[in-house]
Amino acid sequence: GKSARSNPVSYVGAWDAVRALFAALPDAKSRGYTPGTFSFNAGTGRCPTCNGSGFEHVEMQFLSDVYLRCPDCDGRRYRPEVLELRWRDKSVADVPELTVTEALAFFADQSAVRAALAPLADVGLDYLRLGPPVPTLSGREAQRLKLAGHLAEAAKLAGRKPRAGRGGASGRLLLLFDEPTTGPHFEDGATLLAAFGK
């Protein structure tokens, strides 16, 4: 979670389903694109200048390091030919700009994407954009993101036989929280408590 390449949509596993949608486009198939082409962490589709990070890291010796928007992709992370492809008028670089609420509406008929994004809304992160680097989130947002990741994993485990170390023989997972409702608004606390019951 400390990597600048990690973001909410990839943390809960929704990015795999999104990349599969783009790879299934007729133009993507004709060009020989795979889901890996739509990854900003690896593959041939990412910007070669910034290696898919969207920025260039400049070390400043005695000052704080500086992150500059990539001059070639303008922070969009991908090669121009990959950005030409559109799924419902959005490129693969437009999706991380959506909030969780917007993404749930945009992918309303895509059950795999919605199932992966639902835990983010369940823990009260429905306002959060899908693409900001995890290290830029507040402490409270990062904690809720971690809970959403556990909920997403639990949902996956519910559909298959549990493995040792992932909920044990019973398939159940015990999470301990230290005053999870202290600090946030009462409605945020109620949302979080409702997520615990899922």
Tab-separated table of all heavy atoms in Angstrom, residues 105-164:
chain	number	residue	atom	x	y	z
A	105	ALA	N	-22.073	3.734	-11.305
A	105	ALA	CA	-23.104	4.052	-12.300
A	105	ALA	C	-22.611	3.746	-13.710
A	105	ALA	O	-23.344	3.190	-14.541
A	105	ALA	CB	-23.515	5.515	-12.176
A	106	PHE	N	-21.358	4.099	-14.001
A	106	PHE	CA	-20.788	3.903	-15.335
A	106	PHE	C	-20.704	2.424	-15.694
A	106	PHE	O	-20.963	2.031	-16.826
A	106	PHE	CB	-19.397	4.546	-15.394
A	106	PHE	CG	-18.734	4.488	-16.738
A	106	PHE	CD1	-19.234	5.217	-17.803
A	106	PHE	CD2	-17.614	3.705	-16.938
A	106	PHE	CE1	-18.629	5.167	-19.054
A	106	PHE	CE2	-16.991	3.646	-18.177
A	106	PHE	CZ	-17.498	4.382	-19.235
A	107	PHE	N	-20.365	1.590	-14.722
A	107	PHE	CA	-20.243	0.144	-14.938
A	107	PHE	C	-21.468	-0.598	-14.402
A	107	PHE	O	-21.351	-1.730	-13.927
A	107	PHE	CB	-18.977	-0.388	-14.265
A	107	PHE	CG	-17.705	0.131	-14.853
A	107	PHE	CD1	-16.923	1.030	-14.147
A	107	PHE	CD2	-17.284	-0.262	-16.108
A	107	PHE	CE1	-15.735	1.520	-14.684
A	107	PHE	CE2	-16.103	0.216	-16.653
A	107	PHE	CZ	-15.330	1.111	-15.944
A	108	ALA	N	-22.625	0.031	-14.497
A	108	ALA	CA	-23.851	-0.518	-13.887
A	108	ALA	C	-24.160	-1.935	-14.346
A	108	ALA	O	-24.678	-2.742	-13.569
A	108	ALA	CB	-25.036	0.393	-14.191
A	109	ASP	N	-23.850	-2.269	-15.597
A	109	ASP	CA	-24.179	-3.598	-16.117
A	109	ASP	C	-22.971	-4.536	-16.142
A	109	ASP	O	-23.028	-5.606	-16.759
A	109	ASP	CB	-24.775	-3.484	-17.520
A	109	ASP	CG	-23.824	-2.814	-18.503
A	109	ASP	OD1	-22.847	-2.181	-18.061
A	109	ASP	OD2	-24.067	-2.919	-19.723
A	110	GLN	N	-21.894	-4.152	-15.485
A	110	GLN	CA	-20.678	-4.972	-15.443
A	110	GLN	C	-20.500	-5.525	-14.034
A	110	GLN	O	-19.910	-4.893	-13.165
A	110	GLN	CB	-19.460	-4.144	-15.859
A	110	GLN	CG	-19.559	-3.564	-17.252
A	110	GLN	CD	-19.683	-4.652	-18.309
A	110	GLN	OE1	-18.980	-5.658	-18.261
A	110	GLN	NE2	-20.586	-4.448	-19.262
A	111	SER	N	-21.023	-6.713	-13.805
A	111	SER	CA	-21.090	-7.258	-12.448
A	111	SER	C	-19.708	-7.448	-11.816
A	111	SER	O	-19.551	-7.226	-10.615
A	111	SER	CB	-21.856	-8.581	-12.443
A	111	SER	OG	-21.228	-9.526	-13.299
A	112	ALA	N	-18.699	-7.830	-12.597
A	112	ALA	CA	-17.369	-8.056	-12.023
A	112	ALA	C	-16.764	-6.755	-11.502
A	112	ALA	O	-16.172	-6.727	-10.423
A	112	ALA	CB	-16.442	-8.688	-13.063
A	113	VAL	N	-16.944	-5.687	-12.253
A	113	VAL	CA	-16.409	-4.382	-11.818
A	113	VAL	C	-17.182	-3.880	-10.609
A	113	VAL	O	-16.592	-3.437	-9.625
A	113	VAL	CB	-16.463	-3.346	-12.969
A	113	VAL	CG1	-15.919	-1.997	-12.496
A	113	VAL	CG2	-15.694	-3.833	-14.174
A	114	ARG	N	-18.506	-3.969	-10.680
A	114	ARG	CA	-19.338	-3.477	-9.567
A	114	ARG	C	-19.062	-4.249	-8.278
A	114	ARG	O	-18.991	-3.662	-7.206
A	114	ARG	CB	-20.825	-3.563	-9.926
A	114	ARG	CG	-21.277	-2.494	-10.891
A	114	ARG	CD	-22.783	-2.536	-11.096
A	114	ARG	NE	-23.520	-2.407	-9.857
A	114	ARG	CZ	-23.824	-1.248	-9.280
A	114	ARG	NH1	-23.439	-0.124	-9.817
A	114	ARG	NH2	-24.504	-1.229	-8.149
A	115	ALA	N	-18.912	-5.564	-8.383
A	115	ALA	CA	-18.647	-6.376	-7.188
A	115	ALA	C	-17.324	-5.981	-6.547
A	115	ALA	O	-17.205	-5.959	-5.321
A	115	ALA	CB	-18.649	-7.856	-7.550
A	116	ALA	N	-16.326	-5.669	-7.371
A	116	ALA	CA	-15.020	-5.293	-6.824
A	116	ALA	C	-15.035	-3.888	-6.232
A	116	ALA	O	-14.337	-3.611	-5.260
A	116	ALA	CB	-13.951	-5.391	-7.917
A	117	LEU	N	-15.852	-2.991	-6.801
A	117	LEU	CA	-15.917	-1.609	-6.305
A	117	LEU	C	-16.848	-1.451	-5.108
A	117	LEU	O	-16.699	-0.509	-4.327
A	117	LEU	CB	-16.376	-0.668	-7.421
A	117	LEU	CG	-15.423	-0.442	-8.580
A	117	LEU	CD1	-16.087	0.441	-9.635
A	117	LEU	CD2	-14.124	0.191	-8.101
A	118	ALA	N	-17.813	-2.336	-4.969
A	118	ALA	CA	-18.827	-2.204	-3.911
A	118	ALA	C	-18.238	-2.044	-2.512
A	118	ALA	O	-18.728	-1.231	-1.726
A	118	ALA	CB	-19.794	-3.381	-3.965
A	119	PRO	N	-17.170	-2.791	-2.137
A	119	PRO	CA	-16.620	-2.604	-0.791
A	119	PRO	C	-16.135	-1.172	-0.518
A	119	PRO	O	-16.184	-0.719	0.625
A	119	PRO	CB	-15.452	-3.600	-0.739
A	119	PRO	CG	-15.833	-4.670	-1.701
A	119	PRO	CD	-16.536	-3.941	-2.807
A	120	LEU	N	-15.684	-0.461	-1.554
A	120	LEU	CA	-15.263	0.930	-1.343
A	120	LEU	C	-16.448	1.790	-0.915
A	120	LEU	O	-16.334	2.625	-0.009
A	120	LEU	CB	-14.640	1.501	-2.626
A	120	LEU	CG	-13.300	0.900	-3.037
A	120	LEU	CD1	-12.907	1.385	-4.432
A	120	LEU	CD2	-12.214	1.263	-2.036
A	121	ALA	N	-17.594	1.586	-1.552
A	121	ALA	CA	-18.798	2.331	-1.170
A	121	ALA	C	-19.292	1.870	0.200
A	121	ALA	O	-19.742	2.689	1.013
A	121	ALA	CB	-19.882	2.139	-2.224
A	122	ASP	N	-19.179	0.575	0.473
A	122	ASP	CA	-19.666	0.035	1.744
A	122	ASP	C	-18.961	0.650	2.947
A	122	ASP	O	-19.558	0.788	4.013
A	122	ASP	CB	-19.487	-1.490	1.793
A	122	ASP	CG	-20.408	-2.219	0.830
A	122	ASP	OD1	-21.398	-1.613	0.363
A	122	ASP	OD2	-20.133	-3.398	0.530
A	123	VAL	N	-17.688	0.990	2.804
A	123	VAL	CA	-16.939	1.545	3.936
A	123	VAL	C	-16.947	3.073	3.944
A	123	VAL	O	-16.222	3.699	4.713
A	123	VAL	CB	-15.484	1.023	3.974
A	123	VAL	CG1	-15.461	-0.485	4.142
A	123	VAL	CG2	-14.687	1.449	2.750
A	124	GLY	N	-17.750	3.683	3.063
A	124	GLY	CA	-17.898	5.138	3.076
A	124	GLY	C	-16.913	5.893	2.208
A	124	GLY	O	-16.730	7.100	2.370
A	125	LEU	N	-16.287	5.217	1.259
A	125	LEU	CA	-15.343	5.889	0.356
A	125	LEU	C	-15.960	6.160	-1.012
A	125	LEU	O	-15.257	6.259	-2.012
A	125	LEU	CB	-14.075	5.042	0.189
A	125	LEU	CG	-13.191	4.896	1.422
A	125	LEU	CD1	-12.025	3.964	1.131
A	125	LEU	CD2	-12.682	6.257	1.894
A	126	ASP	N	-17.286	6.296	-1.065
A	126	ASP	CA	-17.960	6.488	-2.345
A	126	ASP	C	-17.575	7.791	-3.043
A	126	ASP	O	-17.701	7.912	-4.252
A	126	ASP	CB	-19.473	6.417	-2.161
A	126	ASP	CG	-19.978	7.266	-1.015
A	126	ASP	OD1	-19.183	7.593	-0.114
A	126	ASP	OD2	-21.170	7.611	-1.010
A	127	TYR	N	-17.057	8.773	-2.309
A	127	TYR	CA	-16.649	10.060	-2.870
A	127	TYR	C	-15.237	10.018	-3.461
A	127	TYR	O	-14.832	10.910	-4.203
A	127	TYR	CB	-16.655	11.138	-1.777
A	127	TYR	CG	-15.637	10.862	-0.696
A	127	TYR	CD1	-14.342	11.363	-0.794
A	127	TYR	CD2	-15.962	10.058	0.395
A	127	TYR	CE1	-13.397	11.081	0.184
A	127	TYR	CE2	-15.020	9.765	1.366
A	127	TYR	CZ	-13.749	10.285	1.255
A	127	TYR	OH	-12.797	9.997	2.200
A	128	LEU	N	-14.475	8.988	-3.139
A	128	LEU	CA	-13.063	8.907	-3.492
A	128	LEU	C	-12.880	8.620	-4.982
A	128	LEU	O	-13.605	7.804	-5.550
A	128	LEU	CB	-12.406	7.794	-2.678
A	128	LEU	CG	-10.886	7.734	-2.634
A	128	LEU	CD1	-10.323	8.949	-1.919
A	128	LEU	CD2	-10.444	6.461	-1.929
A	129	ARG	N	-11.920	9.300	-5.625
A	129	ARG	CA	-11.575	8.960	-6.997
A	129	ARG	C	-10.850	7.615	-7.011
A	129	ARG	O	-10.214	7.238	-6.034
A	129	ARG	CB	-10.688	10.042	-7.632
A	129	ARG	CG	-11.429	11.290	-7.993
A	129	ARG	CD	-10.602	12.283	-8.804
A	129	ARG	NE	-9.315	12.595	-8.203
A	129	ARG	CZ	-8.142	12.203	-8.682
A	129	ARG	NH1	-8.060	11.477	-9.775
A	129	ARG	NH2	-7.025	12.540	-8.073
A	130	LEU	N	-10.930	6.908	-8.123
A	130	LEU	CA	-10.354	5.565	-8.208
A	130	LEU	C	-8.840	5.557	-8.371
A	130	LEU	O	-8.197	4.566	-8.046
A	130	LEU	CB	-10.969	4.812	-9.397
A	130	LEU	CG	-12.472	4.593	-9.378
A	130	LEU	CD1	-12.897	3.844	-10.630
A	130	LEU	CD2	-12.913	3.851	-8.133
A	131	GLY	N	-8.260	6.672	-8.872
A	131	GLY	CA	-6.877	6.615	-9.278
A	131	GLY	C	-5.797	7.279	-8.460
A	131	GLY	O	-4.624	7.130	-8.791
A	132	PRO	N	-6.087	8.003	-7.369
A	132	PRO	CA	-4.972	8.660	-6.673
A	132	PRO	C	-4.039	7.627	-6.030
A	132	PRO	O	-4.498	6.591	-5.556
A	132	PRO	CB	-5.649	9.523	-5.608
A	132	PRO	CG	-6.951	8.861	-5.354
A	132	PRO	CD	-7.357	8.268	-6.675
A	133	PRO	N	-2.737	7.906	-6.028
A	133	PRO	CA	-1.818	6.974	-5.367
A	133	PRO	C	-2.186	6.787	-3.899
A	133	PRO	O	-2.553	7.748	-3.217
A	133	PRO	CB	-0.460	7.662	-5.508
A	133	PRO	CG	-0.615	8.595	-6.663
A	133	PRO	CD	-2.047	9.035	-6.638
A	134	VAL	N	-2.109	5.560	-3.429
A	134	VAL	CA	-2.484	5.255	-2.047
A	134	VAL	C	-1.737	6.122	-1.025
A	134	VAL	O	-2.340	6.572	-0.047
A	134	VAL	CB	-2.304	3.747	-1.759
A	134	VAL	CG1	-2.423	3.452	-0.284
A	134	VAL	CG2	-3.337	2.950	-2.539
A	135	PRO	N	-0.435	6.423	-1.217
A	135	PRO	CA	0.253	7.246	-0.220
A	135	PRO	C	-0.302	8.671	-0.076
A	135	PRO	O	-0.004	9.345	0.889
A	135	PRO	CB	1.703	7.292	-0.723
A	135	PRO	CG	1.858	6.073	-1.552
A	135	PRO	CD	0.520	5.870	-2.200
A	136	THR	N	-1.127	9.124	-1.033
A	136	THR	CA	-1.692	10.477	-0.947
A	136	THR	C	-3.004	10.512	-0.160
A	136	THR	O	-3.532	11.596	0.090
A	136	THR	CB	-1.936	11.071	-2.345
A	136	THR	OG1	-2.962	10.312	-3.009
A	136	THR	CG2	-0.664	11.078	-3.179
A	137	LEU	N	-3.526	9.357	0.232
A	137	LEU	CA	-4.780	9.317	0.978
A	137	LEU	C	-4.546	9.700	2.431
A	137	LEU	O	-3.448	9.527	2.963
A	137	LEU	CB	-5.389	7.912	0.926
A	137	LEU	CG	-5.686	7.340	-0.461
A	137	LEU	CD1	-6.269	5.941	-0.326
A	137	LEU	CD2	-6.614	8.242	-1.244
A	138	SER	N	-5.587	10.200	3.077
A	138	SER	CA	-5.483	10.506	4.502
A	138	SER	C	-5.387	9.198	5.281
A	138	SER	O	-5.705	8.124	4.757
A	138	SER	CB	-6.710	11.300	4.963
A	138	SER	OG	-7.859	10.457	4.998
A	139	GLY	N	-4.992	9.283	6.545
A	139	GLY	CA	-4.884	8.087	7.375
A	139	GLY	C	-6.205	7.358	7.495
A	139	GLY	O	-6.269	6.127	7.421
A	140	ARG	N	-7.296	8.110	7.662
A	140	ARG	CA	-8.618	7.501	7.789
A	140	ARG	C	-9.029	6.825	6.486
A	140	ARG	O	-9.583	5.730	6.476
A	140	ARG	CB	-9.638	8.559	8.200
A	140	ARG	CG	-10.931	7.957	8.708
A	140	ARG	CD	-11.841	9.037	9.251
A	140	ARG	NE	-13.020	9.029	8.407
A	140	ARG	CZ	-13.463	10.063	7.717
A	140	ARG	NH1	-12.873	11.198	7.775
A	140	ARG	NH2	-14.520	9.966	6.980
A	141	GLU	N	-8.749	7.487	5.349
A	141	GLU	CA	-9.081	6.888	4.061
A	141	GLU	C	-8.270	5.622	3.821
A	141	GLU	O	-8.799	4.626	3.328
A	141	GLU	CB	-8.824	7.899	2.935
A	141	GLU	CG	-9.833	9.028	2.904
A	141	GLU	CD	-9.439	10.142	1.946
A	141	GLU	OE1	-8.235	10.265	1.628
A	141	GLU	OE2	-10.333	10.896	1.533
A	142	ALA	N	-7.001	5.647	4.202
A	142	ALA	CA	-6.144	4.472	4.019
A	142	ALA	C	-6.641	3.295	4.858
A	142	ALA	O	-6.635	2.144	4.403
A	142	ALA	CB	-4.699	4.811	4.376
A	143	GLN	N	-7.101	3.572	6.083
A	143	GLN	CA	-7.630	2.505	6.933
A	143	GLN	C	-8.889	1.905	6.329
A	143	GLN	O	-9.077	0.693	6.317
A	143	GLN	CB	-7.918	3.043	8.328
A	143	GLN	CG	-6.670	3.328	9.132
A	143	GLN	CD	-6.986	3.947	10.479
A	143	GLN	OE1	-8.105	4.390	10.726
A	143	GLN	NE2	-5.993	3.987	11.341
A	144	ARG	N	-9.753	2.775	5.814
A	144	ARG	CA	-10.991	2.281	5.201
A	144	ARG	C	-10.707	1.528	3.910
A	144	ARG	O	-11.387	0.556	3.590
A	144	ARG	CB	-11.965	3.432	4.965
A	144	ARG	CG	-12.560	3.928	6.267
A	144	ARG	CD	-13.547	5.044	6.060
A	144	ARG	NE	-14.018	5.503	7.347
A	144	ARG	CZ	-15.298	5.600	7.679
A	144	ARG	NH1	-16.230	5.293	6.814
A	144	ARG	NH2	-15.636	6.022	8.867
A	145	LEU	N	-9.693	1.975	3.183
A	145	LEU	CA	-9.311	1.261	1.969
A	145	LEU	C	-8.817	-0.142	2.314
A	145	LEU	O	-9.137	-1.116	1.635
A	145	LEU	CB	-8.237	2.036	1.206
A	145	LEU	CG	-7.715	1.377	-0.071
A	145	LEU	CD1	-8.831	1.172	-1.082
A	145	LEU	CD2	-6.602	2.228	-0.678
A	146	LYS	N	-8.050	-0.240	3.380
A	146	LYS	CA	-7.562	-1.553	3.811
A	146	LYS	C	-8.740	-2.454	4.192
A	146	LYS	O	-8.764	-3.642	3.841
A	146	LYS	CB	-6.620	-1.393	5.008
A	146	LYS	CG	-5.936	-2.696	5.399
A	146	LYS	CD	-4.980	-2.503	6.544
A	146	LYS	CE	-3.650	-2.035	6.010
A	146	LYS	NZ	-2.601	-2.074	7.054
A	147	LEU	N	-9.727	-1.899	4.881
A	147	LEU	CA	-10.920	-2.678	5.222
A	147	LEU	C	-11.653	-3.098	3.955
A	147	LEU	O	-12.092	-4.253	3.837
A	147	LEU	CB	-11.855	-1.869	6.129
A	147	LEU	CG	-13.206	-2.512	6.445
A	147	LEU	CD1	-13.021	-3.858	7.141
A	147	LEU	CD2	-14.057	-1.582	7.298
A	148	ALA	N	-11.775	-2.194	2.978
A	148	ALA	CA	-12.436	-2.533	1.712
A	148	ALA	C	-11.701	-3.673	1.017
A	148	ALA	O	-12.331	-4.564	0.430
A	148	ALA	CB	-12.509	-1.308	0.806
A	149	GLY	N	-10.373	-3.654	1.085
A	149	GLY	CA	-9.592	-4.741	0.497
A	149	GLY	C	-9.896	-6.074	1.159
A	149	GLY	O	-10.021	-7.103	0.485
A	150	HIS	N	-10.036	-6.066	2.489
A	150	HIS	CA	-10.382	-7.300	3.209
A	150	HIS	C	-11.793	-7.762	2.849
A	150	HIS	O	-12.036	-8.963	2.695
A	150	HIS	CB	-10.263	-7.102	4.713
A	150	HIS	CG	-8.855	-7.095	5.210
A	150	HIS	ND1	-8.026	-8.194	5.144
A	150	HIS	CD2	-8.119	-6.106	5.783
A	150	HIS	CE1	-6.846	-7.896	5.647
A	150	HIS	NE2	-6.869	-6.636	6.038
A	151	LEU	N	-12.727	-6.810	2.734
A	151	LEU	CA	-14.093	-7.176	2.353
A	151	LEU	C	-14.131	-7.765	0.946
A	151	LEU	O	-14.854	-8.732	0.684
A	151	LEU	CB	-15.016	-5.954	2.432
A	151	LEU	CG	-15.301	-5.409	3.826
A	151	LEU	CD1	-16.127	-4.134	3.741
A	151	LEU	CD2	-16.011	-6.452	4.681
A	152	ALA	N	-13.343	-7.182	0.037
A	152	ALA	CA	-13.282	-7.702	-1.329
A	152	ALA	C	-12.707	-9.118	-1.340
A	152	ALA	O	-13.211	-10.004	-2.038
A	152	ALA	CB	-12.443	-6.770	-2.207
A	153	GLU	N	-11.664	-9.339	-0.540
A	153	GLU	CA	-11.061	-10.671	-0.462
A	153	GLU	C	-12.032	-11.665	0.162
A	153	GLU	O	-12.132	-12.813	-0.281
A	153	GLU	CB	-9.765	-10.616	0.350
A	153	GLU	CG	-9.036	-11.943	0.459
A	153	GLU	CD	-8.526	-12.486	-0.871
A	153	GLU	OE1	-8.344	-11.706	-1.817
A	153	GLU	OE2	-8.321	-13.711	-0.960
A	154	ALA	N	-12.761	-11.233	1.190
A	154	ALA	CA	-13.737	-12.113	1.831
A	154	ALA	C	-14.838	-12.510	0.844
A	154	ALA	O	-15.297	-13.653	0.844
A	154	ALA	CB	-14.332	-11.434	3.064
A	155	ALA	N	-15.255	-11.564	0.004
A	155	ALA	CA	-16.285	-11.860	-0.997
A	155	ALA	C	-15.774	-12.896	-1.997
A	155	ALA	O	-16.508	-13.791	-2.409
A	155	ALA	CB	-16.698	-10.587	-1.719
A	156	LYS	N	-14.491	-12.789	-2.367
A	156	LYS	CA	-13.912	-13.783	-3.273
A	156	LYS	C	-13.845	-15.149	-2.605
A	156	LYS	O	-14.140	-16.173	-3.220
A	156	LYS	CB	-12.503	-13.353	-3.694
A	156	LYS	CG	-12.471	-12.203	-4.656
A	156	LYS	CD	-11.034	-11.865	-4.984
A	156	LYS	CE	-10.931	-10.555	-5.721
A	156	LYS	NZ	-9.527	-10.156	-5.926
A	157	LEU	N	-13.450	-15.167	-1.318
A	157	LEU	CA	-13.343	-16.435	-0.596
A	157	LEU	C	-14.693	-17.108	-0.434
A	157	LEU	O	-14.772	-18.328	-0.377
A	157	LEU	CB	-12.722	-16.208	0.787
A	157	LEU	CG	-11.217	-15.962	0.820
A	157	LEU	CD1	-10.764	-15.678	2.240
A	157	LEU	CD2	-10.458	-17.152	0.267
A	158	ALA	N	-15.754	-16.298	-0.355
A	158	ALA	CA	-17.083	-16.868	-0.178
A	158	ALA	C	-17.477	-17.733	-1.376
A	158	ALA	O	-18.266	-18.661	-1.252
A	158	ALA	CB	-18.115	-15.761	0.018
A	159	GLY	N	-16.859	-17.441	-2.529
A	159	GLY	CA	-17.188	-18.182	-3.731
A	159	GLY	C	-16.268	-19.355	-4.021
A	159	GLY	O	-16.450	-20.055	-5.003
A	160	ARG	N	-15.265	-19.590	-3.168
A	160	ARG	CA	-14.353	-20.718	-3.399
A	160	ARG	C	-13.898	-21.304	-2.068
A	160	ARG	O	-14.074	-20.705	-1.022
A	160	ARG	CB	-13.158	-20.293	-4.238
A	160	ARG	CG	-12.243	-19.294	-3.585
A	160	ARG	CD	-11.048	-19.028	-4.513
A	160	ARG	NE	-10.074	-18.216	-3.853
A	160	ARG	CZ	-9.893	-16.913	-4.064
A	160	ARG	NH1	-10.664	-16.290	-4.918
A	160	ARG	NH2	-8.967	-16.254	-3.427
A	161	LYS	N	-13.278	-22.448	-2.129
A	161	LYS	CA	-12.825	-23.138	-0.926
A	161	LYS	C	-11.719	-22.329	-0.248
A	161	LYS	O	-10.750	-21.924	-0.883
A	161	LYS	CB	-12.290	-24.525	-1.316
A	161	LYS	CG	-11.904	-25.368	-0.137
A	161	LYS	CD	-11.450	-26.736	-0.597
A	161	LYS	CE	-11.004	-27.571	0.591
A	161	LYS	NZ	-10.496	-28.881	0.170
A	162	PRO	N	-11.829	-22.049	1.063
A	162	PRO	CA	-10.802	-21.278	1.749
A	162	PRO	C	-9.475	-22.003	1.812
A	162	PRO	O	-9.435	-23.230	1.855
A	162	PRO	CB	-11.392	-21.058	3.146
A	162	PRO	CG	-12.399	-22.132	3.319
A	162	PRO	CD	-12.933	-22.442	1.946
A	163	ARG	N	-8.399	-21.222	1.817
A	163	ARG	CA	-7.052	-21.783	1.930
A	163	ARG	C	-6.525	-21.510	3.323
A	163	ARG	O	-6.936	-20.559	3.979
A	163	ARG	CB	-6.113	-21.100	0.921
A	163	ARG	CG	-6.545	-21.292	-0.495
A	163	ARG	CD	-5.648	-20.509	-1.406
A	163	ARG	NE	-5.569	-19.123	-0.975
A	163	ARG	CZ	-5.272	-18.120	-1.775
A	163	ARG	NH1	-5.031	-18.341	-3.024
A	163	ARG	NH2	-5.211	-16.891	-1.314
A	164	ALA	N	-5.586	-22.312	3.762
A	164	ALA	CA	-4.946	-22.090	5.052
A	164	ALA	C	-4.273	-20.728	5.036
A	164	ALA	O	-3.673	-20.330	4.047
A	164	ALA	CB	-3.917	-23.178	5.313
